């Protein structure tokens, strides 16, 4: 079995910060909602029963961590997961949690 080399300290810090951001249930709900494709801020807020201000705040943090990307369409900005790595990680962790529940 080949072992990957250790991450440099700055990458460990970035990874820890990313997991810290994912530890917030509201941010995690926003990411999971965006699994279905690009979503407008208003639609995210309405579907998750959150204020647009709160959603915008969380999206700013998620965008800063490169977990989502925004695309302006006319007067609205639509947010989507930044890439397949993010969606795969979310789906893998959701599957992992489901496995743990089935084992109990």
């Amino acid at each position: 079995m080949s072992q990957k080399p250790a991450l440099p300290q700055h990458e460990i810090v970035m990874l820890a910060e990313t997991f810290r951001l994912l530890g917030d249930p509201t941010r995690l709900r926003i990411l999971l909602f965006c699994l279905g494709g690009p979503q407008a801020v208003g639609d995210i807020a309405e579907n998750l029963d959150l204020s647009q201000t709160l959603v915008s705040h969380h999206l700013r943090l998620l965008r800063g961590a490169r977990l989502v990307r925004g695309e302006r369409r006319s007067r609205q900005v639509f947010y989507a997961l930044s890439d397949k790595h993010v969606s795969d990680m979310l789906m893998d962790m959701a599957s992992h949690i489901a496995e743990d529940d089935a084992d109990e």
Side-chain angles (χ1 to χ4, degrees):
M1 176 190 307
S2 67
Q3 190 174 8
K4 290 189 174 193
L7 292 172
Q9 182 63 31
H10 73 279
E11 289 182 8
I12 291 172
V13 170
M14 288 175 56
L15 187 58
E17 178 64 18
T18 300
F19 281 116
R20 186 188 67 75
L21 285 170
L22 292 172
D24 181 272
T26 301
R27 286 191 283 270
L28 195 51
R29 289 175 60 212
I30 291 169
L31 288 173
L32 291 169
F33 186 74
C34 290
L35 272 171
Q39 305 290 336
V41 176
D43 292 338
I44 296 169
E46 183 179 326
N47 282 279
L48 299 181
D49 197 27
L50 302 167
S51 73
Q52 284 193 14
T53 304
L54 182 61
V55 170
S56 293
H57 169 73
H58 285 300
L59 286 168
R60 181 180 55 81
L61 296 172
L62 293 169
R63 197 173 55 243
R66 298 181 4 215
L67 295 171
V68 297
R69 58 182 163 70
E71 177 186 320
R72 182 167 293 283
R73 297 182 195 166
S74 182
R75 292 178 34 207
Q76 291 186 315
V77 178
F78 286 76
Y79 287 89
L81 300 180
S82 61
D83 59 32
K84 189 162 170 35
H85 295 111
V86 176
S87 60
D88 287 351
M89 183 260 320
L90 288 169
M91 295 302 297
D92 287 347
M93 290 308 295
S95 294
H96 176 70
I97 296 302
E99 286 174 1
D100 288 351
D101 286 345
D103 290 344
E104 293 179 2

